[in-house]
């Protein structure tokens, strides 16, 4: 095992012009978009607020000091409900008997934008995955130097746990290189759900405008195919040059919803097209857009992941974009992305579409590290017990870390992955029992290079976390990310939330907003206020 070279300062991930239109009415947002039809994503807008900044709910402000317990779920008007895979949270582990903690990297962000949508609607959040809340935001981790041996760096920091000062909180941040791993073109298949369940303003119309933004990023070296599915599937476009923006956008805006949802057949057709038009060394990807409500043919997460796993060895990746509400099948879409070497985002506004498909185009589309796994080895001289916060459905058996046949998360260019461990000193809640100068842990990272034949051999890198990682003055990134994690503990009703409170979350987050050129951290502070008013 080798240690990675010291990284150079991180260059903030490029984001271009998040729009500043309020999201009080989606129809108005789409109307404004249609009025600007044909405008390029490289246009001259310089506004920095996001569409969801206004999260106000018309209710009186609770008095300072009032906490908000998790609210009961609210049934949707049509009674259909939304499906989530709420994995039980993992309890504290004894280092003496379980010194290893192993999990798959996660770069999905769907849970945060879905929580924002639910709070904005005035309903209780469901399906909250804490790691996706934390990983929604950018952090100023140092990126690997140009020409570095490994395509990522690891940053660690330890401080007192905000919701339990007698415990410690360790932050582990993995920052991927922003260098795009290929100069070859994109071969992208848009797989679009046009079934009857998509016939809502926040579904198919928003979907069409979202993909129109993506089209504007492509050029003559790229190829786009479009497959639609309802009761059956139809090839709308086959290998159209990405420079044909007008043709592709017209096809997107002409889509109409109706019929049942045969998603499995659509997936097969999309993979066939992607493989037929395969670009050696390029980005070959299916982008699935749906509410996940498959009701014809194979439809369970298990059925669909079996299909996806059979196809992923082809070298075609998958991204999943969720739309809509009421019958959102979050568990199905997460399963497809996780088993298809892909990522999953939830699109609740056009600003979120711009963030995912324009501003984060490189990280969404181009993988720089495949099957990235982390194994944290805790030191019993410094830690008595510990708990990984979140990642509850991404835990791996310890022996899976060295198993190259075991699938794990893929990390795109510029992506970062953040994980928090809550640590209890060896003598319980008495830090004096910690051995002076003892390392807290060692972070082992295993990954495969993108592309190449399967099964590819992996590489392991290790990063010791020494006693000097502890600080009584954590960085603004640590403060903000821990505030997001604390909101997750509250929203999930975690058994281990200790003294977590929305007052503490808001205070710490507001002090750590920092430069915030795109308003995402300020929006989070507003989200905390809106969540308080739900009670």
């Amino acid at each position: 095992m080798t240690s990675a070279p010291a990284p150079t300062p991180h260059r903030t991930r490029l984001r271009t012009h998040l729009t500043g239109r309020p999201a009080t009415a989606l129809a108005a947002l789409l109307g404004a978009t249609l009025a600007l039809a044909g405008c390029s994503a490289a246009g001259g807008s310089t506004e920095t607020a996001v569409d969801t900044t206004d999260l106000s709910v018309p209710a009186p402000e609770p008095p300072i000091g009032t906490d908000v317990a998790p609210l009961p779920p609210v049934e949707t008007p049509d009674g259909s409900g939304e499906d989530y895979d709420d994995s039980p949270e993992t309890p504290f582990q004894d280092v003496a008997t379980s010194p290893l903690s192993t999990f798959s990297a996660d770069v999905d962000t769907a849970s945060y934008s879905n929580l924002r949508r639910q709070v904005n609607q005035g309903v209780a959040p469901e399906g909250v995955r804490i790691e996706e809340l934390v990983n929604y935001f950018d952090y100023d981790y140092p990126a690997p130097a140009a020409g570095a041996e490994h395509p990522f760096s690891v940053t660690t920091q330890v401080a007192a746990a905000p919701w339990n000062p007698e415990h410690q909180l360790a932050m582990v941040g993995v920052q991927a290189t922003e260098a795009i791993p290929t100069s070859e073109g994109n071969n992208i298949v848009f797989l679009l759900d046009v079934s009857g369940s998509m016939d809502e303003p926040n579904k198919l119309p928003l979907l069409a405008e979202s993909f129109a933004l993506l089209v504007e990023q492509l050029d003559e070296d790229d190829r786009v195919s479009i497959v639609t599915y309802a009761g059956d599937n139809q090839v709308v476009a086959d290998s159209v040059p990405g420079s044909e923006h007008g043709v592709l956008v017209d096809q997107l805006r002409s889509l109409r919803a109706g019929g049942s949802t045969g998603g499995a057949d659509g997936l097969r057709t999309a993979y066939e097209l992607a493989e037929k038009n395969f670009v050696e060394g390029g980005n070959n990807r299916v982008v699935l857009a749906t509410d996940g409500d498959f009701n014809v043919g194979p439809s369970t997460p298990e059925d669909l992941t079996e299909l996806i796993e059979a196809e992923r060895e082809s070298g075609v990746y998958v991204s999943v974009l969720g739309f809509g509400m009421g019958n959102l099948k979050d568990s199905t879409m997460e399963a497809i992305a996780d088993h298809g070497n892909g990522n999953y985002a939830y699109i609740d506004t056009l600003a979120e579409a711009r963030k995912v498909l324009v501003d984060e185009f490189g990280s969404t589309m181009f993988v720089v590290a495949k099957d990235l796994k982390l194994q944290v080895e805790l030191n019993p001289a410094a830690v008595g017990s510990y708990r990984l916060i979140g990642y509850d459905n991404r835990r791996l058996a310890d022996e899976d870390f060295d198993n190259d046949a075991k699938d794990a998360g893929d990390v795109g260019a510029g992506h970062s992955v953040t994980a928090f461990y809550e640590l209890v000193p060896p003598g319980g809640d008495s830090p004096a029992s910690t051995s002076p100068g003892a390392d807290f842990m060692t972070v082992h990272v295993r990954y495969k290079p993108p592309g190449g034949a399967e099964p590819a051999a992996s590489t392991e890198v290790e990063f010791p976390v020494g006693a000097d990682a502890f600080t009584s003055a954590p960085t603004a990134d640590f403060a903000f990310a821990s505030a997001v994690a604390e909101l997750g503990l509250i929203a999930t009703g975690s058994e281990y939330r200790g003294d977590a409170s929305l007052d503490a979350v808001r205070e710490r987050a507001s002090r750590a907003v920092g430069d915030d050129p795109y308003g995402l951290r300020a929006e989070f502070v507003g989200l905390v206020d809106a969540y308080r008013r739900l009670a």
Side-chain angles (χ1 to χ4, degrees):
M1 293 182 289
T2 60
S3 296
T8 56
H10 171 52
R11 177 170 57 86
T12 303
R13 184 185 308 162
L14 175 64
R15 280 206 173 115
T16 57
H17 74 281
L18 285 177
T19 61
R21 295 185 296 274
T24 53
L26 182 59
L29 180 151
L30 291 176
T33 304
L34 290 169
L36 294 172
C39 289
S40 167
S45 174
T46 58
E47 296 175 65
T48 56
V50 296
D51 287 5
T52 52
T53 300
D54 182 7
L55 291 169
S56 59
V57 177
E61 185 78 27
I64 295 298
T66 301
D67 202 355
V68 179
L71 301 170
V74 177
E75 191 169 326
T76 52
D78 61 4
S80 59
E82 300 183 355
D83 290 343
Y84 298 97
D85 179 17
D86 290 320
S87 300
E89 65 177 347
T90 304
F92 279 92
Q93 305 293 308
D94 189 338
V95 175
T97 56
S98 301
L100 299 177
S101 170
T102 310
F103 64 98
S104 168
D106 181 26
V107 295
D108 295 346
T109 60
S111 190
Y112 179 83
S113 49
N114 191 36
L115 176 145
R116 179 179 62 200
R117 182 266 300 181
Q118 293 174 97
V119 171
N120 198 24
Q121 287 182 298
V123 302
E126 293 185 83
V128 176
R129 294 182 288 274
I130 296 177
E131 70 277 9
E132 294 186 24
L133 306 190
V134 173
N135 286 325
Y136 181 86
F137 298 93
D138 284 338
Y139 305 104
D140 195 24
Y141 299 138
E149 181 181 1
H150 306 290
F152 57 83
S153 63
V154 171
T155 299
T156 57
Q157 190 172 171
V158 183
W163 48 88
N164 191 336
E166 295 180 335
H167 294 179
Q168 294 157 338
L169 189 64
M171 182 175 74
V172 178
V174 178
Q175 176 64 54
T177 178
E178 294 182 353
I180 301 297
T182 178
S183 60
E184 302 297 328
N186 295 287
N187 164 36
I188 306 177
V189 180
F190 297 169
L191 177 56
L192 309 180
D193 183 351
V194 295
S195 64
S197 66
M198 295 292 289
D199 190 16
E200 298 288 343
N202 55 14
K203 292 187 179 182
L204 190 56
L206 178 57
L207 180 158
E209 297 309 317
S210 298
F211 278 81
L213 291 174
L214 173 55
V215 164
E216 296 292 346
Q217 310 310 302
L218 306 177
D219 59 29
E220 65 274 5
D221 294 329
D222 304 314
R223 291 294 180 269
V224 176
S225 301
I226 301 176
V227 177
T228 62
Y229 69 91
D232 56 11
N233 60 84
Q234 179 182 357
V235 177
V236 176
D238 184 353
S239 195
V240 174
S243 56
E244 297 288 335
H245 297 166
V247 171
L248 292 167
V249 170
D250 285 347
Q251 289 171 329
L252 290 167
R253 289 177 176 158
S254 67
L255 298 176
R256 298 294 180 268
S260 53
T261 315
D265 285 343
L267 278 166
R268 293 189 185 97
T269 300
Y271 272 109
E272 289 171 2
L273 270 178
E275 292 167 22
K276 177 173 77 79
N277 300 318
F278 196 87
V279 176
E280 289 293 339
N283 170 42
N284 299 278
R285 184 174 295 269
V286 172
V287 183
L288 167 63
T290 178
D291 59 9
D293 190 15
F294 298 172
N295 53 35
V296 173
S299 58
T300 67
E302 294 74 20
D303 291 338
L304 294 166
T305 55
E306 184 176 349
L307 167 63
I308 292 292
E309 287 176 349
E311 295 286 354
R312 72 184 179 201
E313 304 306 325
S314 66
V316 177
Y317 294 85
V318 63
S319 293
V320 181
L321 304 180
F323 288 83
M325 60 193 73
N327 61 340
L328 183 72
K329 308 306 178 188
D330 175 85
S331 56
T332 299
M333 292 184 285
E334 185 192 18
I336 291 173
D338 288 352
H339 291 265
N341 289 343
N343 41 51
Y344 169 35
Y346 176 77
I347 308 298
D348 57 338
T349 68
L350 199 62
E352 185 66 21
R354 191 182 302 279
K355 174 181 181 290
V356 173
L357 297 174
V358 178
D359 307 330
E360 298 175 352
F361 180 82
S363 54
T364 300
M365 295 292 170
F366 295 98
V367 171
V368 297
K370 286 180 56 179
D371 292 342
L372 194 143
K373 308 169 188 174
L374 286 87
Q375 185 169 81
V376 175
E377 182 178 2
L378 285 301
N379 181 5
V383 181
S385 59
Y386 66 92
R387 194 175 83 85
L388 172 60
I389 298 173
Y391 293 91
D392 294 308
N393 62 358
R394 289 184 168 269
R395 309 295 172 101
L396 299 174
D398 292 336
E399 58 269 22
D400 287 339
F401 183 72
D402 295 324
N403 181 4
D404 283 349
K406 182 66 176 179
D407 186 59
D410 298 328
V411 177
H415 261 147
S416 63
V417 178
T418 300
F420 279 111
Y421 281 88
E422 187 170 350
L423 311 177
V424 180
D429 290 338
S430 174
S433 60
T434 301
S435 298
D439 287 357
F440 286 100
M441 62 185 74
T442 300
V443 179
H444 302 267
V445 183
R446 185 176 288 278
Y447 73 99
K448 300 174 187 175
E454 292 287 353
S458 64
T459 299
E460 181 180 351
V461 194
E462 66 176 29
F463 302 84
V465 184
D468 59 353
F470 182 84
T471 178
S472 58
T475 63
D477 278 344
F478 184 103
F480 186 85
S482 66
V484 177
E486 187 169 347
L487 177 66
L489 295 174
I490 295 169
T492 58
S494 171
E495 179 182 347
Y496 308 102
R497 63 187 183 273
D499 295 330
S501 74
L502 292 175
D503 285 343
V505 170
R506 190 189 193 286
E507 179 184 0
R508 196 158 70 258
S510 61
R511 285 190 283 106
V513 166
D515 189 25
D516 196 28
Y518 305 104
L520 298 179
R521 293 192 180 193
E523 178 198 60
F524 175 79
V525 175
L527 180 67
V528 175
D529 289 337
Y531 187 87
R532 282 165 41 131
R533 289 191 287 267
L534 281 178

